[in-house]
Amino acid sequence: MAISLIVGSILSTSVALAAASMAFVYRFNILYINRNPPAKTSKRNGGELVANVLRAHNVKHLFTLSGGHISPILVECERAGIRVVDTRHEVNAVFAADAVARLSGGIGAVAVTAGPGVTNTVTAVKNAQMAQSPVLVMGGAAATILKGRGALQDIEQIDLFRSICKQSFTVHTVRDIIPTLRTAIYIARSGTPGPVFVEFPIDVLYSYPQVFSQLGIPANKRSIFQRIVGWYLNNYIENVFAGGFLESASSVEPMVIDVPFISNSKLSKIEELVSRSRRPVFLIGSQATLPPKDVNDVRTALECLGIPCYLGGMARGLLGSGSAIQFRQRRKEALQSADLVLLAGSVCDFRLSYGRVLPRRVPIISINRDKIQLTMNSDMFW
């Protein structure tokens, strides 16, 4: 009986020790670090990976107000042939990237330094959100290990952007740079486009020797406490850089963006309503200019239909100044006499009197990537 109890106790202790060992190995990522050790003398840095991703996504301009936290991004982008445009205020950098995104149909890119550099962008980021413009905002940050410890310009940045960006990310290791950026750009351009925020702690952007020199690992670890701290800091930096520059790392090529399309059954119903109408009216908004459809194809299709059009937002100028189907005045009267109204990216907000200008008992076709904007104020005024 006593022997059984002893054996049981030993087995329980062994299982507990094994579980603790496995948890320790997992917590500190020891197996991965051993399989993919960092090159401790390499001068390569995370900014190089950022530049590779941006170049693969056809980014021609990076707008910024330079700062120490993001210097590797700026240097490597310039080396990669991406023009770095330094502005006088971070908000202007985002406005410029927003303009590039709208005019090119691609992603607008911004890099700003930590703390006040990031907070200065808020107005322009909100503007990009409301304009449904795909903008990638990259912000510097304090080293992950120093967050909350009084590091230079260390503030909570992710929560700041949570309500004005489609998604926000923090990159914790060099090996996460490529997949995180690819995912962020995919999200910014898919569905209803909008801004995304990616936070880069300073230690994932600089080279291993530079980061190691700033960690302050004691050279002569005399006490047990110093040895533990030294091991912890060594493990931290090795995990940050482990596998960061593997040749087999994930591709930098763009992911295929997700664009919502109308179903064939709904399209047939629209065709039927248009063919039966005698006085249809198009209200065309900014979304009509979004990729993947070329605006010239949209203009050609509208001219073939011959339906009177009122243009708004970024759709202004779509048909040219001499178009026979574009109208600018007496929109209210045109809508009241219409027997079919097509809202192509137009939203029933204050610009359309919240929907009050739409005729009653007349079919309204609303086409919009955003589900909220699709039927905005339909429960009250139309």
Side-chain angles (χ1 to χ4, degrees), residues 9-81:
S9 176
I10 292 173
L11 287 174
S12 298
T13 303
S14 299
V15 170
L17 287 173
S21 299
M22 290 177 62
F24 180 84
V25 169
Y26 176 80
R27 166 64 179 82
F28 293 99
N29 209 19
I30 292 173
L31 293 179
Y32 183 86
I33 294 172
N34 288 335
R35 289 196 302 265
N36 305 281
K40 298 183 179 181
T41 60
S42 173
K43 294 183 180 180
R44 299 182 69 181
N45 60 67
E48 176 186 333
L49 302 181
V50 174
N52 290 343
V53 174
L54 295 182
R55 182 172 56 188
H57 286 75
N58 201 33
V59 172
K60 305 295 186 185
H61 300 83
L62 175 66
F63 298 94
T64 186
L65 198 161
S66 60
H69 288 80
I70 56 167
S71 288
I73 294 178
L74 309 182
V75 172
E76 297 299 335
C77 280
E78 193 168 53
R79 285 179 181 169

Side-chain angles (χ1 to χ4, degrees), residues 72-363:
I73 294 178
L74 309 182
V75 172
E76 297 299 335
C77 280
E78 193 168 53
R79 285 179 181 169
I82 299 171
R83 183 181 177 189
V84 177
V85 182
D86 206 15
T87 62
R88 294 195 176 191
H89 194 286
E90 290 86 356
V91 76
N92 294 328
V94 180
F95 280 135
D98 181 0
V100 166
R102 298 193 206 189
L103 295 174
S104 69
I107 188 80
V110 181
V112 293
T113 199
V118 168
T119 60
N120 282 346
T121 67
V122 169
T123 297
V125 172
K126 181 62 181 180
N127 186 71
Q129 181 195 44
M130 297 188 71
Q132 299 175 351
S133 184
V135 175
L136 169 66
V137 181
M138 296 176 288
T144 303
I145 199 170
L146 294 177
K147 285 192 173 183
R149 296 180 179 273
L152 175 66
Q153 297 173 196
D154 177 27
I155 66 169
E156 174 50 57
Q157 299 176 155
I158 295 297
D159 288 345
L160 181 67
F161 285 96
R162 201 177 302 280
S163 67
I164 59 175
C165 286
K166 292 185 70 176
Q167 199 160 331
S168 298
F169 305 83
T170 297
V171 178
H172 295 288
T173 65
V174 175
R175 62 183 173 273
D176 291 333
I177 290 176
I178 292 175
T180 301
L181 277 180
R182 291 180 70 227
T183 300
I185 294 173
Y186 164 79
I187 290 173
R189 301 186 64 197
S190 292
T192 305
V196 291
F197 175 68
V198 180
E199 179 183 75
F200 288 94
I202 194 170
D203 47 359
V204 303
L205 292 179
Y206 282 82
S207 68
Y208 187 103
Q210 289 173 308
V211 176
F212 184 85
S213 67
Q214 296 298 315
L215 274 181
I217 300 176
N220 298 320
K221 309 176 186 68
R222 298 179 179 178
S223 68
I224 294 177
F225 178 76
Q226 286 180 328
R227 291 178 183 179
I228 293 174
V229 171
W231 182 91
Y232 178 80
L233 293 176
N234 268 309
N235 173 265
Y236 169 79
I237 187 174
E238 287 182 358
N239 184 52
V240 168
F241 284 89
F245 302 100
L246 292 178
E247 296 302 323
S248 59
S250 57
S251 169
V252 297
E253 295 303 312
M255 300 167 66
V256 179
I257 63 173
D258 178 25
V259 179
F261 288 98
I262 192 171
S263 66
N264 290 331
S265 59
K266 290 182 179 179
L267 184 59
S268 298
K269 181 63 174 177
I270 292 173
E271 290 176 348
E272 179 186 348
L273 289 171
V274 171
S275 63
R276 286 165 44 190
S277 66
R278 293 293 177 264
R279 299 179 305 280
V281 174
F282 253 123
L283 299 181
I284 303 175
S286 298
Q287 279 194 11
T289 66
L290 292 178
K293 205 66 177 178
D294 187 88
V295 290
N296 292 316
D297 294 336
V298 175
R299 180 180 63 193
T300 300
L302 290 171
E303 289 172 344
C304 289
L305 288 171
I307 297 175
C309 298
Y310 287 88
L311 308 180
M314 286 295 292
R316 292 188 178 97
L318 176 64
L319 297 172
S321 58
S323 173
I325 61 172
Q326 179 181 348
F327 294 84
R328 298 177 178 82
Q329 285 83 37
R330 305 180 70 85
R331 185 181 67 180
K332 182 177 180 180
E333 290 83 349
L335 288 172
Q336 292 302 318
S337 63
D339 61 357
L340 176 66
V341 177
L342 299 100
L343 303 174
S346 288
V347 186
C348 289
D349 55 14
F350 70 96
R351 290 167 291 187
L352 289 176
S353 298
Y354 308 98
R356 293 189 186 96
V357 297
L358 299 180
R360 305 293 180 180
R361 294 179 293 277
V362 167

